[in-house]
Amino acid sequence: MNAAAMVKTSIDMVEEELITREQALLRIDPELLEQLLHPRLDPDAAARPVATGLPASPGAASGKCIFDADLAEKVGAEGERVILVREETRPEDIHGFFAAEGILTSRGGKTSHAAVVARGMGKPCVAGAEGIVVDVTLRRAIVGDHIIHEGDVITLDGATGEVYLGAIPTLPPHFSDDLRNLLEWADETAELKVMANADTPEAASRAREYGAMGIGLCRTERMFNASDRLPVVIDMILANNEEERKSALARLLPIQRADFIKLFTVMSPDPVTVRLLDPPMHEFLPTEHDLVDQIENLRIYRDVVRGRQVALASIAGAPPLPEAFMELSEEHVNDALTKKERMLQKVRELQETNPMLGHRGVRLGITYPEIYAMQIQAILEAAAECANNGIDVQPEIMVPQVITSQELAHVRRTVDELTGKLEEETGRKLQFKFGTMIETVRACTRATHLAGNVEFFSFGTNDLTQAVFSFSREDAENKFLPMYNESGILQDNPFEVLDIKGVGQLIDMAVYRGRKANPELKIGICGEQGGHPASIRFCHNVGLSYVSCSGPRVPIARLAAANAKLREGESVR
Amino acid sequence: MNAAAMVKTSIDMVEEELITREQALLRIDPELLEQLLHPRLDPDAAARPVATGLPASPGAASGKCIFDADLAEKVGAEGERVILVREETRPEDIHGFFAAEGILTSRGGKTSHAAVVARGMGKPCVAGAEGIVVDVTLRRAIVGDHIIHEGDVITLDGATGEVYLGAIPTLPPHFSDDLRNLLEWADETAELKVMANADTPEAASRAREYGAMGIGLCRTERMFNASDRLPVVIDMILANNEEERKSALARLLPIQRADFIKLFTVMSPDPVTVRLLDPPMHEFLPTEHDLVDQIENLRIYRDVVRGRQVALASIAGAPPLPEAFMELSEEHVNDALTKKERMLQKVRELQETNPMLGHRGVRLGITYPEIYAMQIQAILEAAAECANNGIDVQPEIMVPQVITSQELAHVRRTVDELTGKLEEETGRKLQFKFGTMIETVRACTRATHLAGNVEFFSFGTNDLTQAVFSFSREDAENKFLPMYNESGILQDNPFEVLDIKGVGQLIDMAVYRGRKANPELKIGICGEQGGHPASIRFCHNVGLSYVSCSGPRVPIARLAAANAKLREGESVR
């Protein structure tokens, strides 16, 4: 029975008093809802699959068949929709994944490289469609009596594993009244709250539609990346001193404040947890390689603008001169060049061997206190303005990458200063919570001490998993995790399913120690595993207050949270 | 009072029965011994330093300034004393370290590659002497108003970080009978054994002189880096399939076996712990940047060799054509070019976002089982040959980066197969131990299960510290650790002094769980902290069997181990 039918019959059976609401909730595997939450093929489009593989990553997609990653990247860059088709994929195909709408392989299982990487990126994937014979040399694939030439359009359904010729229309996710009904029962049963990870007011609105009870993780750096802000962020990074940095931050402040006002308003009266800046600064700058290219080209353009060596641009193989440059003065080009050269110098300064373990999170906040101060001020001012307009808001300020309570004390001092000032100005008491991510191993061992400084903990299980396994997620999923899964060394991908035997033990330790020091402590989890049913069950059992996951996983999490409560007594394994 | 006087008066007072041996041991701060264990500058030689860097590895040395590892090796082989001077060093410079009396870099911290490797070899190193501008192209370094040309003599003092022009006389280390005496008493008192980290028979011999009771860590990759092996290792990495890889490994086997025979013989009858290959493969290849340069130059040389564009080399700004090339055929240059291009492709394939958390350690051993099989075979055959020659050896095979017992089971299977075969061939039972590094957090939580598969644990506290803090050592020491120390957020550098509150808790957990499952388990520590007195005290208190540190730290560790035993009851903080 498919998911929609399953939901409908459950509701009907309750209405006919054949089963209880609890039985209805337990009848449905939360993962089944996945089918209802991604774009799917229009069932009215009469089409017969030409091949079936494993449903390796959900969602439906159409695009031109392309047989290697280099070409996929090229065709994708031209604005075409691409399906990457390979016998099996390997780490060196990674750029093809970025370019593709979906991935199809003729070999490999649900834990093959293609499956693991596609799921990690949230792209549809059909793996191990053995009926398809891929012939890269002849640039074609044979499936039954059909020959698919490179460039032919195909459609994948990652929920069923089916492959179609041509483009099949897709329907947006189907959120029926029955499903809405069922999930309301789930919410009444569950003890865990379900929040969403969302970084923009738009994403927050969508999360609301999925039934999110607040935002458990708003990554402020996503706001920094929008094209109207990035230049200001770059000015901040290139600043030669605190003064210059503060001037750039002063320009960012009203932008961030406006973002938060919108976000708080959309989610009112539910909590919104804002994480202070986390990624290393070089993530906001172009790569060294790109900058070297750009500088080389700018030098050629400068010569052209000078009119000295008009023909040189083509000789030196630079891309065609942008027309805009012809109207620019030498001075303009020189300014651009100077800025790029400074960027390059900065990129080289900021280079890190292992950025995951580098100068990021609260370490940045302590090295450049003015960055965190700006963000905290924006959050508090937004909260004050909302309150002023009668909008009930619950902002929560969250510090990332903490390893010791001294770091929290540092940031807390800024929070207290700014709160004091603002309360004096407005004559109104500010409502907010202060908390910390628990995403380093040391934060778990030091939970007793951290808990005295905060009102909430939020487990960042993505980073925590990386630290516990000494696995970099990107490198692991791309290089050895598929092989580890296939050979049975690891049963699951620990970045999808919470590793109870390792990561879980540290969570357990931190919850115990944190609550012992601070019984009022609110504790949640905001890693990707927060949307996975078995992981949610673990979170319920160790006594967390909430889980937070990506918007489309919220319904699954709501049902799983109810099931976790209903299965409380049962042994886990 | 200086160290020599301190030791002498202590011994005298015992002889005069003024104090007990225990009191004598407790009187001396183990760190003080550092003074006695390295050559030092003659304090009577009046000289003024021209630059100061970080005191990265103690000792004093004079020699000719040489700006690259190849030339250092050549000049060293001619019997000259050499100081290797680089902006910073990389693993491919290792032969330069072997050839040099001391190492000087203008960039990098106390834990940069130069510092760590030099400390490991017991050679003086001044790191990050930023006043020196190294210009390899012009074969000179500029420091203030001085130009140091290649071949000029300089003197380093690794204990102060000072650099001098010319040769300053040094005094040899002072390992007096008194000190020897004192350390023998220490050994009688201590419960912890003190082993050394050593990768070559030469280093092992030196460690013996310092009183090491075995080798706690032999990093086989250091053997791979020697200039006669690296080409074979590169062939192995470039192999297109298992067959090609096995052929390269077959050439490495006798080399590794011969290394182990020498090492086991030097250390007989004490244990030698050999760690199977750990670093990611790209560490054995040149950087992408260097390869791109080399390929560009080779293309120019090819054109020159073809005689078509003789003048082009200088036009294109390539370095002067090596004379050797003038005698080479076009075919030779083409072969070199093809090989470099393949290397470049491989380097790009192997690129990782966070190499520290990437495809390394046992993950490599499982992806390419033939690599570990070759190493295990070399160890076992070396042990068999030693036994055959009446040399009593205790090899220990150690697996790095383990997170689960399934990984150990995989490697163990290879060990058992090879042991069975070899025992049948020789008709003699092989004596060895099989064990695992404990250097991931997950290994600590899974210690119960790991312990069932092994005879020993060895804590790799360098990597474990990185995982617990989510700090990449290189990035942390260069970018934010100094600021964290200065502002009191962290008291110590956790890579030098074991972090008891975080890392220590995991060690404690792993020792408890490991011994519970396997009471016979031998447990040691082989991170750099193993030579630090406060860390040694912790190791004693949690019941470890041994510590292993760099050779020159062994005497300090021996005294610290005795003091730890004598201070057993005292509270630690």
Side-chain angles (χ1 to χ4, degrees):
Chain A
M1 211 183 304
N2 74 24
M6 197 77 183
V7 171
K8 183 161 179 6
T9 55
S10 300
I11 297 280
D12 290 349
M13 280 154 73
V14 171
E15 280 173 1
E16 291 162 27
E17 298 188 7
L18 294 170
I19 58 172
T20 63
R21 286 183 177 188
E22 285 70 25
Q23 285 169 322
L25 292 169
L26 284 169
R27 250 186 115 226
I28 302 170
D29 176 359
E31 283 292 358
L32 203 63
L33 301 187
E34 182 96 63
Q35 286 179 24
L36 308 179
L37 303 168
H38 290 278
R40 63 207 164 93
L41 296 185
D42 182 350
D44 294 340
R48 280 208 13 228
V50 291
T52 304
L54 298 164
S57 178
S62 301
K64 288 188 169 177
C65 241
I66 300 289
F67 295 114
D68 73 69
D70 289 346
L71 188 59
E73 190 178 42
K74 191 163 162 283
V75 173
E78 290 163 3
E80 298 275 5
R81 300 170 65 85
V82 164
I83 304 288
L84 179 64
V85 182
R86 306 277 295 159
E87 195 167 85
E88 56 189 345
T89 61
R90 289 175 47 80
E92 53 266 33
D93 296 325
I94 192 79
H95 53 300
F97 280 74
F98 286 116
E101 303 295 319
I103 291 90
L104 168 61
T105 64
S106 60
R107 279 172 49 184
K110 276 187 142 179
T111 53
S112 61
H113 177 264
V116 171
V117 175
R119 269 202 307 278
M121 293 186 181
K123 298 193 175 190
C125 174
V126 173
E130 290 177 355
I132 298 176
V133 180
V134 178
D135 187 335
V136 177
T137 320
L138 295 179
R139 315 302 299 185
R140 68 183 194 189
I142 295 173
V143 42
D145 297 338
H146 302 278
I147 295 181
I148 303 173
H149 295 281
E150 192 154 51
D152 289 355
V153 172
I154 62 168
T155 299
L156 306 182
D157 186 343
T160 60
E162 286 170 343
V163 182
Y164 301 83
L165 299 182
I168 316 285
T170 58
L171 298 177
H174 186 61
F175 213 93
S176 66
D177 286 345
D178 285 340
L179 178 56
R180 228 173 277 279
N181 219 332
L182 184 85
L183 292 175
E184 270 163 30
W185 298 343
D187 295 345
E188 285 162 21
T189 303
E191 280 173 7
L192 279 174
K193 299 241 176 250
V194 179
M195 322 282 273
N197 300 348
D199 312 317
T200 59
E202 298 71 37
S205 289
R206 278 197 304 277
R208 260 256 181 273
E209 286 164 27
Y210 287 119
M213 304 161 199
I215 303 296
L217 176 62
C218 164
R219 287 155 287 206
T220 47
E221 59 271 18
R222 303 277 170 107
M223 299 174 167
F224 279 16
N225 263 323
S227 59
D228 55 330
R229 295 104 196 260
L230 194 56
V232 189
V233 175
I234 290 177
D235 280 351
M236 173 192 83
I237 297 172
L238 295 182
N240 290 310
N241 51 49
E242 200 183 311
E243 226 42 60
E244 282 181 29
R245 196 156 42 242
K246 279 191 171 160
S247 133
L249 287 166
R251 282 178 285 150
L252 279 175
L253 174 67
I255 301 177
Q256 286 246 298
R257 187 175 47 219
D259 283 336
F260 292 135
I261 290 174
K262 277 191 224 150
L263 200 58
F264 295 164
T265 306
V266 167
M267 292 312 291
S268 168
D270 290 324
V272 175
T273 309
V274 180
R275 181 176 70 185
L276 300 177
L277 192 67
D278 182 42
M281 304 244 255
H282 47 72
E283 281 199 9
F284 298 103
L285 297 174
T287 64
E288 179 175 8
H289 183 266
D290 283 354
L291 278 169
V292 167
D293 271 6
Q294 288 168 15
I295 287 171
E296 218 161 83
N297 291 336
L298 275 172
R299 288 201 178 124
I300 296 167
Y301 298 151
R302 182 185 54 189
D303 289 340
V304 175
V305 170
R306 275 182 188 160
R308 288 199 295 117
Q309 302 183 42
V310 183
L312 195 65
S314 56
I315 291 172
L321 190 66
E323 259 178 44
F325 271 97
M326 297 312 269
E327 290 154 30
L328 289 181
S329 70
E330 189 178 332
E331 221 181 321
H332 275 105
V333 181
N334 266 334
D335 284 354
L337 191 55
T338 307
K339 183 149 187 185
K340 293 282 181 193
E341 280 167 342
R342 231 170 104 205
M343 263 195 227
L344 180 60
Q345 193 194 351
K346 198 75 190 182
V347 164
R348 285 179 175 155
E349 265 174 53
L350 294 176
Q351 216 145 44
E352 294 185 306
T353 321
N354 299 286
M356 172 61 52
L357 309 175
H359 197 185
R360 54 177 293 216
V362 69
R363 299 157 210 159
L364 272 183
I366 284 177
T367 332
Y368 306 112
E370 53 281 2
I371 298 179
Y372 272 22
M374 180 281 285
Q375 294 199 293
I376 293 164
Q377 189 178 342
I379 295 166
L380 295 175
E381 288 180 357
E385 182 159 335
C386 286
N388 214 27
N389 296 334
I391 298 161
D392 184 13
V393 293
Q394 295 186 51
E396 307 193 341
I397 299 172
M398 181 159 75
V399 187
Q401 297 295 334
V402 168
I403 58 156
T404 164
S405 59
Q406 279 88 337
E407 291 168 327
L408 285 175
H410 253 254
V411 181
R412 174 107 231 185
R413 223 171 293 142
T414 308
V415 171
D416 289 345
E417 274 169 31
L418 291 169
T419 308
K421 229 168 87 182
L422 198 57
E423 287 183 346
E424 202 170 310
E425 277 169 32
T426 60
R428 188 199 279 273
K429 192 108 190 94
L430 284 169
Q431 297 295 338
F432 68 92
K433 285 195 167 76
F434 180 73
T436 180
M437 295 281 282
I438 303 284
E439 57 184 338
T440 68
V441 173
R442 205 171 187 279
C444 298
T445 69
R446 300 301 286 162
T448 318
H449 294 79
L450 302 188
N453 286 278
V454 296
E455 286 138 301
F456 69 93
F457 279 1
S458 176
F459 288 100
T461 44
N462 196 5
D463 278 21
L464 192 56
T465 302
Q466 301 197 67
V468 168
F469 281 77
S470 289
F471 281 7
S472 158
R473 179 171 189 173
E474 274 173 278
D475 300 320
E477 284 184 343
N478 194 30
K479 300 232 158 88
F480 52 86
L481 202 49
M483 186 268 304
Y484 261 45
N485 288 149
E486 270 164 25
S487 63
I489 291 176
L490 288 175
Q491 311 244 275
D492 297 306
N493 176 346
F495 298 106
E496 288 176 359
V497 183
L498 191 80
D499 164 54
I500 292 173
K501 295 175 181 174
V503 179
Q505 290 205 13
L506 290 162
I507 291 179
D508 214 0
M509 176 201 283
V511 170
Y512 176 80
R513 295 183 179 186
R515 287 255 170 80
K516 204 170 155 190
N518 179 356
E520 298 305 304
L521 201 65
K522 174 174 159 181
I523 310 183
I525 164 179
C526 63
E528 212 165 307
Q529 299 97 334
H532 185 274
S535 314
I536 291 170
R537 195 160 170 213
F538 172 82
C539 292
H540 173 87
N541 289 341
V542 295
L544 296 203
S545 325
Y546 69 92
V547 297
S548 186
C549 55
S550 70
R553 300 282 306 176
V554 165
I556 298 168
R558 288 163 69 195
L559 181 54
N563 286 358
K565 170 66 185 167
L566 294 172
R567 293 223 161 100
E568 224 167 28
E570 292 173 30
S571 83
V572 174
R573 263 167 211 254
Chain B
M1 208 183 310
N2 74 24
M6 196 77 184
V7 170
K8 183 164 178 7
T9 57
S10 299
I11 297 281
D12 288 350
M13 280 154 71
V14 172
E15 278 171 4
E16 290 162 25
E17 295 187 7
L18 295 172
I19 57 172
T20 63
R21 287 184 177 188
E22 285 71 24
Q23 285 169 322
L25 292 169
L26 285 170
R27 253 187 111 226
I28 302 169
D29 175 1
E31 284 292 355
L32 202 64
L33 300 189
E34 182 96 63
Q35 286 179 24
L36 308 178
L37 302 168
H38 298 277
R40 63 210 162 94
L41 294 186
D42 183 349
D44 295 339
R48 279 208 11 228
V50 290
T52 305
L54 298 164
S57 177
S62 300
K64 289 187 171 179
C65 244
I66 300 290
F67 295 115
D68 72 67
D70 290 347
L71 188 60
E73 191 176 43
K74 190 163 163 279
V75 174
E78 289 161 3
E80 299 276 3
R81 298 169 68 85
V82 164
I83 304 289
L84 178 64
V85 182
R86 304 278 294 161
E87 196 167 82
E88 55 190 345
T89 62
R90 287 180 47 82
E92 57 262 32
D93 296 325
I94 193 78
H95 53 300
F97 281 74
F98 286 119
E101 302 296 319
I103 292 89
L104 168 62
T105 65
S106 60
R107 277 172 50 183
K110 271 186 143 178
T111 51
S112 58
H113 176 263
V116 172
V117 175
R119 271 205 300 279
M121 291 186 181
K123 295 191 176 193
C125 174
V126 173
E130 290 177 357
I132 298 177
V133 180
V134 178
D135 186 336
V136 178
T137 319
L138 295 179
R139 316 303 297 186
R140 69 183 192 187
I142 295 174
V143 42
D145 298 337
H146 301 278
I147 295 182
I148 303 174
H149 295 280
E150 191 152 53
D152 289 355
V153 172
I154 62 169
T155 299
L156 306 182
D157 185 343
T160 61
E162 287 168 342
V163 182
Y164 301 83
L165 300 181
I168 316 284
T170 58
L171 303 176
H174 194 60
F175 210 97
S176 64
D177 286 345
D178 284 341
L179 179 55
R180 227 173 277 280
N181 220 329
L182 185 85
L183 291 175
E184 270 164 30
W185 297 345
D187 294 346
E188 285 163 21
T189 302
E191 278 173 9
L192 278 174
K193 298 243 177 246
V194 178
M195 322 281 272
N197 300 348
D199 312 316
T200 60
E202 297 72 33
S205 287
R206 280 198 304 277
R208 259 256 181 275
E209 286 164 27
Y210 289 119
M213 305 160 197
I215 302 297
L217 175 63
C218 164
R219 288 156 287 209
T220 46
E221 58 270 17
R222 303 279 168 105
M223 299 172 165
F224 278 16
N225 262 321
S227 57
D228 55 332
R229 293 104 195 258
L230 195 55
V232 188
V233 175
I234 290 178
D235 281 349
M236 173 191 83
I237 296 173
L238 295 183
N240 289 312
N241 51 48
E242 200 183 312
E243 225 41 61
E244 282 181 30
R245 195 157 43 243
K246 280 192 170 160
S247 133
L249 287 166
R251 281 178 288 150
L252 280 175
L253 175 67
I255 301 176
Q256 285 246 298
R257 186 175 48 218
D259 284 335
F260 292 134
I261 290 173
K262 277 192 223 148
L263 198 60
F264 295 163
T265 305
V266 168
M267 291 312 291
S268 167
D270 290 324
V272 176
T273 309
V274 180
R275 180 176 71 185
L276 300 177
L277 192 67
D278 182 42
M281 303 245 254
H282 46 73
E283 281 200 10
F284 298 103
L285 297 175
T287 62
E288 180 176 7
H289 183 265
D290 284 354
L291 278 170
V292 167
D293 271 7
Q294 288 169 14
I295 286 171
E296 217 162 83
N297 290 336
L298 275 172
R299 288 201 179 125
I300 295 167
Y301 299 152
R302 182 186 53 190
D303 288 339
V304 175
V305 170
R306 276 182 187 158
R308 287 199 296 117
Q309 303 183 41
V310 182
L312 195 64
S314 56
I315 292 172
L321 190 67
E323 259 179 45
F325 270 96
M326 298 312 270
E327 289 154 30
L328 287 181
S329 70
E330 189 180 330
E331 219 180 321
H332 274 105
V333 182
N334 266 333
D335 283 354
L337 191 55
T338 307
K339 184 149 187 183
K340 293 283 180 193
E341 281 167 342
R342 232 171 104 203
M343 264 195 225
L344 179 60
Q345 191 195 350
K346 198 76 191 179
V347 164
R348 286 178 175 156
E349 266 175 49
L350 293 176
Q351 216 146 43
E352 293 184 307
T353 320
N354 299 285
M356 173 61 53
L357 310 175
H359 197 182
R360 54 179 295 218
V362 70
R363 301 159 210 159
L364 273 182
I366 285 177
T367 333
Y368 306 111
E370 53 280 5
I371 298 179
Y372 273 22
M374 180 280 284
Q375 293 199 295
I376 293 164
Q377 189 179 345
I379 295 166
L380 296 175
E381 287 180 358
E385 181 156 336
C386 285
N388 213 27
N389 296 333
I391 298 161
D392 185 11
V393 292
Q394 295 186 51
E396 306 192 342
I397 299 172
M398 181 159 74
V399 186
Q401 299 294 333
V402 168
I403 56 154
T404 164
S405 60
Q406 279 86 338
E407 290 167 329
L408 285 174
H410 252 254
V411 181
R412 173 107 232 184
R413 222 169 296 141
T414 308
V415 171
D416 289 345
E417 273 169 33
L418 291 168
T419 309
K421 227 168 89 183
L422 199 58
E423 286 183 345
E424 200 169 312
E425 277 168 33
T426 61
R428 187 198 279 271
K429 191 108 190 95
L430 284 170
Q431 296 294 336
F432 68 93
K433 285 196 169 74
F434 180 73
T436 179
M437 294 283 280
I438 303 284
E439 55 184 337
T440 68
V441 173
R442 204 172 188 280
C444 298
T445 69
R446 301 301 287 161
T448 319
H449 294 80
L450 302 187
N453 287 277
V454 296
E455 286 139 300
F456 69 92
F457 278 0
S458 176
F459 287 100
T461 44
N462 195 5
D463 278 20
L464 191 56
T465 302
Q466 301 197 70
V468 168
F469 281 76
S470 289
F471 282 6
S472 157
R473 180 168 189 174
E474 275 173 279
D475 301 319
E477 284 179 336
N478 279 335
K479 301 226 157 98
F480 53 87
L481 204 49
M483 187 268 305
Y484 261 45
N485 287 148
E486 274 161 28
S487 64
I489 292 177
L490 287 176
Q491 312 244 271
D492 298 305
N493 176 348
F495 297 107
E496 286 174 0
V497 183
L498 191 80
D499 164 54
I500 292 172
K501 295 176 182 175
V503 179
Q505 289 204 14
L506 290 162
I507 291 180
D508 214 359
M509 176 201 284
V511 170
Y512 175 80
R513 295 183 179 186
R515 286 255 170 80
K516 204 168 154 193
N518 179 356
E520 298 303 305
L521 199 66
K522 173 173 160 181
I523 310 184
I525 164 180
C526 63
E528 213 166 306
Q529 298 98 332
H532 185 275
S535 313
I536 290 169
R537 197 162 167 211
F538 171 81
C539 292
H540 173 86
N541 289 341
V542 294
L544 296 202
S545 325
Y546 69 91
V547 298
S548 186
C549 55
S550 69
R553 301 280 308 176
V554 166
I556 297 167
R558 288 163 69 195
L559 181 54
N563 287 358
K565 170 68 186 166
L566 295 172
R567 294 220 160 102
E568 225 165 29
E570 292 174 30
S571 82
V572 172
R573 261 167 212 250

